[in-house]
Amino acid sequence: MNLLNSVLQRNSFSVILCKNSFIQKSNGHFIRLNSIRSVIYKRWHSTNNSNNVTEQKLKNNLSSNKLVDLTTFPAENIRNFSIIAHIDHGKSTLADRLLEFTNTISANGLNKQVLDKLKVERERGITVKAQTVSMFYSYKGKDCLLNLIDTPGHVDFSYEVSRSLAACQGTLLLVDAAQGIQAQTVANFFLAFGEGLEIIPILNKIDLPGAEPERVTKQIESAFELNTKDILQISAKSGINIDQVLPSVIEKIPPPTGSIDLPFRALLFDSWYDQYVGVVCMLGIKDGILRKGDKVISAHSNLKYEIMEVGIMHPEQQSTGYLHAGQVGYVICGMKSATEAYIGDTFYHPGEKRQVEILPGFQPAQSMVFAGIFPVDTNDFRKLDDNIKKLTLNDASVTVQKETSHALGQGWRLGFLGTLHMDVFRQRLENEYDANIIVTQPTVPYKVIYKDGSSKLVRNPSEFPDHEERSLRVSKLQEPMVLATLIFPDEYMGKLVELCGSRRGEQLDYVYIDENRVMIKYRMPLAEIVTDFYDELKSRSSGYASFDYEENGYENSDLVKMTVLLNSKPVDALSVILHRSQIDLVGRDWVKRLKGVIQRQLFDVSIQTAIGTKIIARETVSALRKNVTAKCYGGDVSRKMKLLQKQKEGKKRMKMIGNVELPQKAFYDFMDKSKSNSK
């Protein structure tokens, strides 16, 4: 009420009141406002940012009170679809234009990536989290409800894409008319094709000077065998042919299956944590009806909940009190623990378990990269534990396991889908929860095969078998392999073949997808691509190469564990598992980098890398010295030698009891390999 009063006093409004509505004025202030059905106000042009923020808040408050009757949208008038594409092909921009076209948001020209709501998405300019929004659109005299899911484009977030596709019946395959088909375009196509979805190809950015619609259309036809006779050619940024997208969606994508008359069941495909209401769940209603106040049961945990609020994302949460078969929306049901929401869970009404077939859910994400996360201040352990649980609720592909390090204390070993995924998770912890953390060197899961036939996955270098265990019990060691797909102009063939060869890659196939673009496939170790492979790829191809990979089993390998020693004491947080061929290069590199970050002490600090008892490389940080001979102005040289010998013996005693502190900067420098190359 105070918000409304402050705005009405400062700006010009027209207020339409219903019958029996009245406004009483006292001292120039509005003190009572009753039964207002709608407020129509004039947009004022001001450079005052606080005015604009207040206007937007008022507009959101008023629109959120407008009830939407979802009972008037039967399943045949509903379309659930997503947008898939490679990075930077215009998915989020197209979503903005569709929201403007359906009047879901105002078309003021200021909308940029409206569905990219996270701070990390705004800063990096990429989508990392799939977002759902409902739109209303009238087509040929019938009102339609269109549920759109905007998906990420990077390979590290493919789990988000696969979960989003499970809630859809069709998808828009967006391809840049200038860049053409790229690696993640291929990967996302086969994800959608595997789900049996209707795929509508669309050419975007046709207004660019370098756009070649005919060439890219031929690429789509030859690579995917899709019908490109009536392919849509649009420009999401300038709005060209945007009005043709939704009619195509309605005509080509089938409505959701399911019946209102069957017992209620719904699929949980996304969730997030709200500090005021707890866990918010996104559901795809497969059958039946869900109303506010209903009781539901989770098939995964067998816990019962009461629906406190149900609604749609339009684009923010808008309560409707009702959802039925074919619709997608959010529910708030009083979940207070982040562990209660299980992605892929089935919800149903009490007493109907025998009548309901539990939905298959999702295949759990396979972690490709593991890293340790530790609080800088050990007193923050419990707080950080809660924050990680809340964040993994919104990112179900992260695996969490507690671990302890001698150097860093208590922490967690987290599994990610890639190094970008890991870096985004770290940044979200820092941005959204003000966490102050240390992230260790990323590792991949290795497999140890024992002589008795058993096996064990090693996610942490501390679990790697020592020399004695290897000789007595271990049969072989294996490392994870990936099938990498690269697409690039053929002029960069030599440089990229050399790059893949230097990373122990084995070429499997290459094919020309048009006159001058090549698609090449390599089988290579995962450990070779989790560090700086992507940066090196972009550098050697001048940014034109695209890259995607998928899991491809394990292969026998000559693996060893390299340990860092500071004054002969091992630092477990800096241990790493490597192929034997890399030991000399990496060992010498690491000691040089550590020498640059360890502060000088009053005694010499020796930095060594070792395999077992064999020392690979060594550097020494020289001691800080006081000039003890400064007071000697003459006399025999033996006086100076006596003082220097006394100082030397004192430093020996100091070295025996002294501890070397490894600063946080050392860990951050190891994460950024480019810094080491510049030193």
Side-chain angles (χ1 to χ4, degrees):
M1 190 69 183
N2 293 334
L3 176 64
L4 180 64
N5 290 341
S6 65
V7 176
L8 288 174
Q9 291 170 39
R10 295 173 63 183
N11 303 283
S12 157
F13 286 84
S14 292
V15 181
I16 299 178
L17 302 177
C18 298
K19 293 180 179 180
N20 303 324
S21 301
F22 61 93
I23 300 177
Q24 295 180 353
K25 284 188 177 181
S26 175
N27 298 326
H29 295 277
F30 288 84
I31 62 172
R32 183 179 177 93
L33 185 62
N34 196 18
S35 304
I36 295 182
R37 291 294 177 88
S38 61
V39 177
I40 304 174
Y41 58 90
K42 299 178 181 178
R43 179 187 179 90
W44 71 95
H45 301 282
S46 171
T47 57
N48 188 337
N49 290 333
S50 62
N51 285 358
N52 295 336
V53 171
T54 306
E55 178 194 21
Q56 190 62 41
K57 286 183 177 178
L58 175 63
K59 187 176 178 181
N60 291 341
N61 289 343
L62 294 172
S63 62
S64 64
N65 294 327
K66 181 182 177 182
L67 290 177
V68 177
D69 185 9
L70 294 183
T71 60
T72 60
F73 295 93
E76 56 267 22
N77 288 9
I78 300 172
R79 298 294 185 273
N80 300 320
F81 68 102
S82 62
I83 306 175
I84 58 175
H86 190 77
I87 312 163
D88 199 33
H89 279 210
K91 296 181 301 299
S92 298
T93 307
L94 175 58
D96 291 345
R97 298 294 85 76
L98 294 179
L99 291 174
E100 292 175 355
F101 184 68
T102 56
N103 296 318
T104 307
I105 58 176
S106 61
N108 54 15
L110 302 177
N111 298 311
K112 292 184 178 180
Q113 287 78 45
V114 172
L115 297 183
D116 289 347
K117 301 176 182 179
L118 301 177
K119 183 180 178 181
V120 64
E121 293 179 316
R122 297 282 183 175
E123 290 177 352
R124 291 174 177 261
I126 60 172
T127 303
V128 302
K129 179 68 186 164
Q131 298 288 353
T132 305
V133 62
S134 297
M135 304 176 291
F136 301 99
Y137 179 64
S138 181
Y139 179 68
K140 293 185 177 179
K142 66 177 181 180
D143 293 330
C144 298
L145 172 61
L146 308 177
N147 296 310
L148 164 65
I149 303 180
D150 183 26
T151 63
H154 196 279
V155 59
D156 283 10
F157 306 102
S158 57
Y159 189 66
E160 287 285 321
V161 180
S162 63
R163 288 193 293 112
S164 303
L165 294 178
C168 300
Q169 286 75 47
T171 186
L172 305 180
L173 180 65
L174 205 62
V175 182
D176 190 319
Q179 299 184 45
I181 290 177
Q182 294 190 284
Q184 199 59 27
T185 313
V186 178
N188 286 338
F189 168 80
F190 284 109
L191 279 176
F193 185 76
E195 291 284 342
L197 303 184
E198 180 67 33
I199 301 172
I200 302 176
I202 298 179
L203 292 186
N204 190 24
K205 304 185 183 181
I206 60 169
D207 56 338
L208 289 180
E212 299 178 89
E214 294 79 10
R215 179 180 64 84
V216 178
T217 300
K218 290 179 181 178
Q219 285 184 8
I220 294 173
E221 190 171 359
S222 63
F224 304 139
E225 298 181 355
L226 293 175
N227 182 12
T228 57
K229 182 180 179 182
D230 301 319
I231 191 170
L232 294 178
Q233 299 188 18
I234 68 168
S235 171
K237 189 170 185 178
S238 58
I240 299 173
N241 295 334
I242 292 297
D243 57 337
Q244 299 178 15
V245 176
L246 293 183
S248 181
V249 167
I250 295 172
E251 290 175 359
K252 295 181 179 179
I253 295 178
T257 57
S259 171
I260 296 179
D261 301 324
L262 292 175
F264 165 75
R265 62 171 183 164
L267 174 70
L268 172 61
F269 67 91
D270 198 7
S271 59
W272 63 91
Y273 190 86
D274 186 286
Q275 61 178 331
Y276 300 108
V277 299
V279 179
V280 182
C281 302
M282 284 298 298
L283 298 182
I285 312 299
K286 299 300 181 181
D287 294 305
I289 298 173
L290 181 66
R291 294 184 176 88
K292 181 180 178 180
D294 283 0
K295 302 286 195 304
V296 296
I297 295 178
S298 161
H300 176 72
S301 64
N302 211 31
L303 295 176
K304 183 185 290 187
Y305 303 98
E306 180 179 351
I307 302 300
M308 301 162 57
E309 184 178 332
V310 57
I312 59 175
M313 304 299 293
H314 187 64
E316 302 300 327
Q317 292 175 208
Q318 182 167 339
S319 178
T320 60
Y322 173 95
L323 288 173
H324 68 233
Q327 296 176 347
V328 175
Y330 75 91
V331 297
I332 299 172
C333 54
M335 289 185 185
K336 296 302 180 185
S337 171
T339 58
E340 293 180 40
Y342 179 76
I343 300 300
D345 196 4
T346 301
F347 285 90
Y348 58 90
H349 284 149
E352 297 180 350
K353 185 173 183 180
R354 294 184 179 179
Q355 307 171 45
V356 171
E357 181 182 353
I358 304 301
L359 296 164
F362 302 108
Q363 186 75 19
Q366 185 71 36
S367 297
M368 307 289 277
V369 177
F370 292 86
I373 289 185
F374 299 86
V376 171
D377 185 352
T378 54
N379 295 325
D380 293 337
F381 179 81
R382 289 185 179 275
K383 179 184 176 183
L384 187 57
D385 189 32
D386 290 337
N387 294 341
I388 288 176
K389 287 179 180 177
K390 292 174 183 176
L391 192 51
T392 51
L393 175 70
N394 192 231
D395 190 350
S397 58
V398 178
T399 60
V400 182
Q401 185 179 5
K402 289 186 179 179
E403 73 170 11
T404 302
S405 165
H406 296 298
L408 301 174
Q410 285 187 308
W412 300 263
R413 172 67 47 169
L414 270 59
F416 304 96
L417 299 182
T419 48
L420 177 63
H421 186 203
M422 178 185 71
D423 200 35
V424 165
F425 190 89
R426 174 197 60 78
Q427 190 172 343
R428 289 187 66 184
L429 271 178
E430 293 173 347
N431 289 347
E432 299 174 26
Y433 298 99
D434 295 323
N436 195 7
I437 59 176
I438 296 173
V439 183
T440 63
Q441 179 78 2
T443 62
V444 300
Y446 297 96
K447 186 178 287 187
V448 180
I449 309 295
Y450 293 100
K451 293 179 180 178
D452 61 2
S454 61
S455 63
K456 180 180 77 170
L457 276 182
V458 175
R459 300 179 177 87
N460 191 334
S462 63
E463 302 171 357
F464 194 77
D466 56 25
H467 179 72
E468 183 179 355
E469 185 181 4
R470 286 187 63 173
S471 59
L472 295 177
R473 297 185 55 206
V474 176
S475 171
K476 52 190 174 183
L477 299 170
Q478 296 182 333
E479 64 178 334
M481 306 295 289
V482 295
L483 182 63
T485 303
L486 294 83
I487 298 179
F488 51 86
D490 57 3
E491 61 191 273
Y492 300 105
M493 170 75 84
K495 293 181 180 179
L496 298 187
V497 167
E498 181 186 357
L499 172 64
C500 294
S502 67
R503 299 305 178 98
R504 297 188 285 137
E506 176 191 353
Q507 184 176 319
L508 300 180
D509 185 27
Y510 79 92
V511 62
Y512 276 82
I513 59 175
D514 64 14
E515 291 80 5
N516 59 358
R517 287 177 66 83
V518 179
M519 181 168 67
I520 190 168
K521 293 192 176 184
Y522 267 86
R523 189 170 189 262
M524 55 178 33
L526 175 61
E528 295 288 348
I529 65 172
V530 298
T531 50
D532 63 340
F533 180 82
Y534 190 75
D535 294 335
E536 189 74 15
L537 177 75
K538 288 296 183 182
S539 175
R540 296 199 184 197
S541 66
S542 304
Y544 285 106
S546 60
F547 171 68
D548 177 55
Y549 64 88
E550 58 185 271
E551 185 186 3
N552 196 244
Y554 281 78
E555 187 174 276
N556 294 342
S557 184
D558 186 9
L559 302 173
V560 290
K561 174 184 173 182
M562 189 181 77
T563 307
V564 174
L565 306 174
L566 296 182
N567 279 352
S568 302
K569 294 181 180 179
V571 182
D572 58 343
L574 292 181
S575 298
V576 66
I577 301 171
L578 298 169
H579 190 268
R580 193 177 295 275
S581 63
Q582 301 173 306
I583 289 298
D584 286 341
L585 181 64
V586 176
R588 296 179 190 281
D589 179 43
W590 279 33
V591 293
K592 288 180 182 177
R593 291 162 60 189
L594 277 171
K595 185 179 179 180
V597 297
I598 291 180
Q599 296 178 351
R600 294 177 69 188
Q601 310 289 325
L602 292 173
F603 49 87
D604 287 344
V605 178
S606 65
I607 308 167
Q608 298 168 310
T609 50
I611 303 174
T613 58
K614 180 184 177 182
I615 303 300
I616 303 300
R618 173 184 172 127
E619 290 281 350
T620 302
V621 179
S622 59
L624 291 169
R625 288 185 57 185
K626 178 184 177 182
N627 188 2
V628 294
T629 63
K631 59 185 177 182
C632 298
Y633 292 101
D636 191 72
V637 70
S638 60
R639 292 183 62 197
K640 293 185 179 181
M641 297 303 296
K642 186 177 179 180
L643 290 172
L644 291 171
Q645 186 66 26
K646 186 177 179 181
Q647 183 188 47
K648 185 177 180 181
E649 290 174 359
K651 288 189 179 294
K652 276 186 179 179
R653 289 194 301 271
M654 202 177 293
K655 187 173 182 179
M656 291 173 63
I657 61 173
N659 292 321
V660 182
E661 290 188 1
L662 193 63
Q664 299 171 28
K665 185 175 183 296
F667 296 99
Y668 291 117
D669 284 351
F670 276 111
M671 295 298 295
D672 190 354
K673 196 168 183 179
S674 62
K675 287 184 180 180
S676 68
N677 293 335
S678 63
K679 290 180 181 177

